[in-house]
Amino acid sequence: LDALRCDIGFQFQGSALYDSMTVRENLEFPLRRHPEKLGSEYNPERLVKEALEDVGLLSAIDMMPAELSGGMKKRIALARTLILRPKIILYDEPTSGLDPITGKEISMLINQIQKRYNTASIVITHDLACARITSDRMVILHDGKNYAESTFDELAENNDPPVKAFFT
C-alpha cells in the first residue's frame, strides 16, 4: 500500500508547506521518508534543484514559506509533489486564492508537468478558467453524485439545469 501511495501525489489547496522548514527542507522531506522510491536516482540536492527549476523557483530554495507569495507557495507545493515522480497527481483547488493571471499560470504549469512527466492529473476545482485549461474530460458533481461527464465545451453547451448552473 505504501508503494502505491508513493505513485500518487497530492497538491493541497493550502499548499501544506511546513512553515518551520526552508523551501529546500520542505522538498527534501518526502525524499527522506521514501529514499527507495527513486533508487539509483536518489540525489537530494539534484532532485530539489530540478523540482524547483520545473516550477520556475530555483531562486527561492533557501526561503521560508512566510516569505513566499500565494502563487509561489502553490508552485513550491507542486515541486514537493513532483519530487517523488508520481504517476497520478491530485490537485485540490490549485488556483484558489490566486489572482486570475497567477491562476492561469498555475493551470498551464499543471499541463506542462503532465506532459513532461507523463502524469495523470485529477483536478478538483470551482474555477472555470482552470477547468477549461487543464481538462480533457470533466465530471460535474450534483447532490454528491457524478451527474454529467464530457469535455468542457460539450458541458458548457449542455442545457440541463444543474449543468447549466455550473457555467452561469
Side-chain angles (χ1 to χ4, degrees):
L1 195 54
D2 270 350
L4 177 62
R5 286 183 181 136
C6 282
D7 284 337
I8 301 171
F10 297 91
Q11 170 79 29
F12 297 101
Q13 182 174 349
S15 301
L17 298 174
Y18 297 107
D19 51 353
S20 62
M21 296 180 180
T22 65
V23 167
R24 178 192 314 266
E25 293 166 332
N26 265 281
L27 270 63
E28 289 173 344
F29 186 79
L31 294 173
R32 285 195 308 270
R33 292 196 35 101
H34 301 284
E36 74 288 349
K37 172 78 166 97
L38 298 167
S40 63
E41 287 188 53
Y42 186 77
N43 177 332
E45 184 68 22
R46 180 184 59 77
L47 291 167
V48 166
K49 287 181 178 178
E50 185 177 296
L52 288 171
E53 286 171 352
D54 283 342
V55 299
L57 283 176
L58 182 57
S59 62
I61 194 166
D62 292 316
M63 293 175 76
M64 297 298 286
E67 300 174 287
L68 305 171
S69 69
M72 291 171 79
K73 287 178 184 176
K74 298 267 187 183
R75 288 174 181 267
I76 298 299
L78 182 52
R80 186 182 59 200
T81 299
L82 285 172
I83 209 152
L84 289 179
R85 305 292 188 262
K87 294 176 183 170
I88 301 168
I89 300 177
L90 305 174
Y91 296 89
D92 180 17
E93 298 286 355
T95 59
S96 70
L98 301 178
D99 63 83
I101 293 168
T102 306
K104 183 177 181 181
E105 290 172 357
I106 295 295
S107 298
M108 294 179 74
L109 182 59
I110 290 169
N111 288 344
Q112 291 168 9
I113 294 300
Q114 186 173 339
K115 287 177 185 154
R116 178 162 186 200
Y117 290 102
N118 195 30
T119 61
S121 297
I122 299 173
V123 180
I124 291 87
T125 186
H126 291 86
D127 179 352
L128 287 177
C130 176
R132 179 185 295 269
I133 291 168
T134 61
S135 70
D136 294 324
R137 307 257 331 140
M138 283 181 49
V139 175
I140 293 180
L141 301 177
H142 180 66
D143 290 333
K145 295 183 178 143
N146 247 1
Y147 186 79
E149 179 180 349
S150 193
T151 66
F152 183 95
D153 292 334
E154 289 169 351
L155 288 171
E157 296 298 319
N158 189 316
N159 288 319
D160 186 39
V163 175
K164 191 139 189 91
F166 187 81
F167 290 91
T168 56

